[in-house]
Amino acid sequence: MTTESVAGEIVKPSGPHGYSHDKESHLKRLRRIEGQIRGLQRMVEEDVYCIDILTQVSASTKGLQSFALQLLEEHLRHCVAAAAVGGGQEETDAKVAEATAAIARLLRT
């Protein structure tokens, strides 16, 4: 396991992924987004005004986008950085290509 710096703090991830050190926070955030989605279901069931539902869709989408960006940053800091430091050029290139593809998918949404 490698040690890394996140927001100026040295952390040692508790698992194999960059997000492992903050897993509980991520799960809490995802549960909040899940609650927003359940709220959307209730709004449709209750025949809430379309614009009000769209406003909630926007908030849910922004929550997921924010989560995705944080996860991407942690991937770059942990996985890509580890490949650059100790994995050789081929592994580094593969991790950069993987991250680039993930960014492209995020931009298409």
Side-chain angles (χ1 to χ4, degrees):
M1 196 68 45
T2 60
T3 301
E4 64 186 65
S5 173
V6 176
E9 294 182 37
I10 301 297
V11 295
K12 185 166 179 88
S14 60
H17 305 293
Y19 63 83
S20 296
H21 73 279
D22 208 15
K23 191 173 183 176
E24 287 306 313
S25 173
H26 290 315
L27 289 171
K28 181 179 179 183
R29 189 173 196 178
L30 288 169
R31 285 184 198 104
R32 193 173 328 124
I33 294 167
E34 179 183 20
Q36 289 177 313
I37 301 304
R38 289 182 194 277
L40 282 166
Q41 292 171 328
R42 277 191 306 278
M43 291 173 86
V44 170
E45 287 171 353
E46 296 170 3
D47 293 320
V48 173
Y49 185 58
C50 303
I51 297 302
D52 294 338
I53 296 172
L54 288 170
T55 299
Q56 183 65 26
V57 167
S58 178
S60 300
T61 301
K62 294 295 182 195
L64 279 172
Q65 288 172 338
S66 177
F67 173 74
L69 286 175
Q70 184 173 3
L71 198 61
L72 178 62
E73 179 182 356
E74 291 169 348
H75 175 70
L76 293 171
R77 289 183 185 278
H78 181 265
C79 302
V80 176
V85 169
Q89 190 63 45
E90 190 174 309
E91 186 178 346
T92 301
D93 290 346
K95 291 292 183 186
V96 169
E98 188 178 61
T100 301
I103 293 166
R105 286 190 301 273
L106 287 171
L107 290 175
R108 281 194 293 266
T109 59

